Amino acid sequence: MQNELLPDSFNATNKNEGVTPFFALHDQQLLFNTLMQSPAFICILKGIELNIIFGNYSITKVFGERFKEGKTIAEALPELEGEGIIEIIRNVFISNQQFAAKEMPLHFIIGDEPKLAYLNFNCEPYGNERVQVAGVSVFAYDVSEQVIARNAIKASENKFRKLIYSLPTALYTCDAEGKIILYNTEAVKLLGEEPAIGKKVGSGTWKMCNADGTPLPVNEYPVMLALKEEKITHHELIIKRADGTHSHVIPYPQAIYDSAGKVTGAINNFVDITEQVNTRRQLEQTANMIRDLYMNAPAFICTLKGREFVYELVNPEYQKLYGKRKLVGLKLMDALPEIRNTEIPDLLTRVYETGEPFVGTQMRFLLARDEGKEPEETYLNFSYQPMYNLENEIDGILVFGYEVTNQVLAKNKSEENLRWVLESLPQITSASSSDGTNIFFNKFFFEYSGLGVEEATKNGWNSIVHPEELENVLREWESCKREGKEYCMEIRLRRNVDRMYRWHIAHITPMKDHNGMVTQWIASATDIHEQKIKEQQKDDFMSIASHEMKTPLTTIKAYLQLLEMTIESKDAEALLYTRKAIASVERLKDLISELLDVSKIQHGQLNFNFSNFDFNEMVSTAVEEIEYNSPHHKIYKTGSIEQPVYGDRERLRQVIVNLLSNAVKYSPDANEVYISVNQQPGEIIVAVKDSGIGIAAVNLSRIFERYFRIDGQELHFQGLGIGLYISMKIIERHRGKIRVESEPGKGSTFYVYLPN
Ligand code: ADP
């Protein structure tokens, strides 16, 4: 390669080819002078020792006295020892071969300083007529400056490359034609491929698009504009990668100029703004959503700015509250002068100053819906929320709410109606809120109790309930409130006029909303004193009568049995009547004993004898007894209980006998009765099934009541209506349950459940 740092003539000589140098003999002095003054280092060395026989000014200028005729080169420049150059020159002498080298680094001592110099060398063997090689002429040219400058450029280029590679933004460079020269890893990531070096921008798989997604022609790529020195605006573009993904970027292309001001290439830098774009989009979406929400909300929303509460944002629902009145931009007090004397300004100021939100429920306002219109009664549910600025200081209030006028008026109306109904009831009635706070007592309550509004509101019914029942009443009331259930009980309430406690049947009933939440409690009491007393008198009479009849009946039975023995087989007819009389007396005794049981139950005196007994045997005895007395019916028993059962054998037998005799009694047209005994985990189940007349649904819950008999049956079926009542009490005493399933005309099944 031609060295542009050396004169062309040198290069030509160096190659020893082409034109032969020439000079005229008479110009020898001129030639000598030229050599002497040449800026190149020229010396002539003789013999294999390389003795200096000539050195031009350039050499002596640099090395001074050291470079003298008569010294060998090694003596003149001892620092070159080990650098290899002396050996090279000697080799030229020995081999008679020219040597040329470029930019050979050599370490010299100049003055007292070491110096690295880069020399272009040309060493030629020379001879004369006697010897072919007499010595070596050395021509050297100092190119240190160029080498150093070029190294510096290389170093800076390297730095530049390193810089590009290490930059955290995508970057590539191209030449004046737009061919890629260099790119960094960020560019690979952004473009989704390794750009092909030497290929034109735009020939890769990635494409550039406008921000709206339309493709951008390659000659309009910002880097191309930079190469054409056209004006570049730094605006958002999209880079679409081959895999379908894309990034939002702002390109910053920059043309590169040479020293003559000519564009030699460009560097293009992309700032990836994808994240910002996405965030911006999200923010826009959120803002749109909020705006939509705000504008279409079925609630009224407005913002009041600053201490003066200036209407800033007002949504359509809020505007509806005030018709066509102007709000936005006006101070609240100026827009709605009518609120000046209400509590609103104070409420707002408090929220503004304390930061504590205010929530108003069913608050009553008088709103003039339009300028000049009469204010209307309006009920609103709303909140005042403080709004904060970027410094976290309160700078306004957000008002949010909805109108509940219709609901409130409807509720008031329905409450009014309810009160009207309660007021007119001829019963003691009160209403309390869901938490039990007394809110209403009817006229009758005040009349009966003689209490004043204040005392009634404070203590409710407590002060008129009989002390013996109060504890029970309070306990039941608590469980009603806890479970939202209704309750019914017989209690005595004190009448004010005569201070007498009268029996009442009291109901506590919850009123629930459509979600099943209790909204109010209604308590009412109906006077049943007269019935209660009559019942008691009846009970007392029954009790006394049965007691009184028990002894004479036993005597009658004894006499009849004597008579039976006396008649024996003498008079068959008389014997038959006597036996019938005994059976009737027996039945009467059973009835009286049942009546006595009722009386005992009433007084809590029904005795029980608990023990372990054979349940199967007990059931079988009962079955036999009924079969003996009712020969027309067949009783089928299934199932059995293996282990002994703990309970009152006699009382349980009484229950089974009662159920079986009812089954027989109420099945005049059927003759089969089934009894099954089953052991389940934790309980014994006895079922008595008949195919008799059955029980209508309305009576099912009542047949266990004392003295209850189904209307119209008295003529056909004898009984007092106490058998099932006693049975239920006996089963309850065993912590068991009794229930019935029945269908009129088809039959009934009674179930007894006993824990075991
Ligand atoms: P009673 O002495 O009237 O039979 P209970 O207390 O044993 O009294 O029965 C109460 C009422 O229940 C009866 O009057 C009858 O109407 C009805 N009842 C009881 N058992 C049956 C049954 N197996 N089939 C139809 N009705 C029944």
Side-chain angles (χ1 to χ4, degrees), residues 594 658-659 662-667 690 692-695 703-705 708-710 713 717-726 742 747-748 750:
E594 275 191 348
N658 184 253
L659 295 179
N662 277 353
V664 168
K665 182 163 69 174
Y666 296 104
S667 319
D690 63 57
I693 59 167
I695 305 160
I703 56 168
F704 296 97
E705 283 176 19
F708 178 80
R709 303 211 69 219
I710 294 173
Q713 289 185 353
F717 306 101
Q718 289 178 336
L720 289 175
I722 52 175
L724 287 180
Y725 170 74
I726 296 171
S742 185
S748 314
F750 283 80

Side-chain angles (χ1 to χ4, degrees), residues 189-206:
K189 277 192 223 159
L190 179 72
L191 306 175
E193 65 168 5
E194 295 254 358
I197 303 275
K199 282 273 159 68
K200 271 198 163 187
V201 172
S203 62
T205 55
W206 59 277

Side-chain angles (χ1 to χ4, degrees), residues 293-476:
L293 259 179
Y294 165 83
M295 293 309 280
N296 305 325
F300 58 78
I301 306 170
C302 80
T303 55
L304 300 169
K305 258 279 162 290
R307 285 194 163 272
E308 308 228 81
F309 308 125
V310 176
Y311 276 113
E312 194 183 36
L313 292 170
V314 167
N315 84 337
E317 277 299 304
Y318 190 93
Q319 185 66 55
K320 260 195 217 164
L321 290 177
Y322 297 99
K324 293 197 180 69
R325 295 174 71 177
K326 181 170 162 42
L327 303 173
V328 177
L330 292 185
K331 290 179 196 161
L332 178 76
M333 303 308 163
D334 296 343
L336 311 173
E338 69 267 30
I339 66 158
R340 279 192 194 164
N341 296 326
T342 68
E343 55 186 329
I344 303 293
D346 280 351
L347 283 176
L348 286 168
T349 309
R350 203 173 320 141
V351 174
Y352 197 94
E353 276 167 9
T354 63
E356 275 177 30
F358 172 81
V359 177
T361 321
Q362 296 184 4
M363 274 182 72
R364 185 171 173 273
F365 291 87
L366 288 172
L367 291 189
R369 304 255 172 178
D370 239 324
E371 217 116 34
K373 271 209 173 166
E374 278 297 300
E376 286 171 34
E377 186 178 13
T378 310
Y379 290 87
L380 305 176
N381 280 356
F382 67 97
S383 64
Y384 292 151
Q385 298 273 354
M387 296 197 310
Y388 294 86
N389 62 15
L390 291 176
E391 276 78 50
N392 215 20
E393 297 155 345
I394 295 178
D395 71 343
I397 286 180
L398 176 84
V399 182
F400 174 92
Y402 48 94
E403 189 175 343
V404 288
T405 310
N406 290 344
Q407 291 93 309
V408 171
L409 293 182
K411 193 173 148 226
N412 288 351
K413 186 84 197 127
S414 79
E415 264 174 24
E416 219 172 83
N417 287 345
L418 178 71
R419 279 182 194 198
W420 185 80
V421 172
L422 297 182
E423 196 61 81
S424 56
L425 281 180
Q427 282 161 319
I428 301 175
T429 311
S430 74
S432 43
S433 59
S434 56
D435 64 352
T437 314
N438 294 313
I439 50 177
F440 170 80
F441 294 90
N442 73 348
K443 207 167 57 215
F444 205 77
F445 181 94
F446 292 118
E447 268 170 31
Y448 183 89
S449 67
L451 299 176
V453 179
E454 203 177 312
E455 198 186 348
T457 312
K458 194 168 153 224
N459 292 326
W461 299 55
N462 296 0
S463 52
I464 59 166
V465 174
H466 194 285
E468 277 178 25
E469 281 118 36
L470 185 59
E471 194 185 322
N472 195 22
V473 167
L474 292 175
R475 197 180 45 243
E476 291 304 337

Side-chain angles (χ1 to χ4, degrees), residues 535-549 592 595-596 598-599 707 720:
E535 230 168 64
Q536 257 170 20
Q537 285 168 349
K538 191 165 144 195
D539 280 343
D540 291 349
F541 167 77
M542 291 284 192
S543 168
I544 295 163
S546 353
H547 261 292
E548 292 305 312
M549 283 193 285
I592 284 170
L595 280 171
L596 281 172
V598 172
S599 164
Y707 305 126
L720 289 175

Side-chain angles (χ1 to χ4, degrees), residues 514-532:
H514 58 277
N515 294 322
M517 298 298 289
V518 175
T519 53
Q520 262 188 25
W521 291 95
I522 306 292
S524 65
T526 312
D527 194 320
I528 52 160
H529 197 73
E530 310 307 336
Q531 291 113 286
K532 188 89 181 165

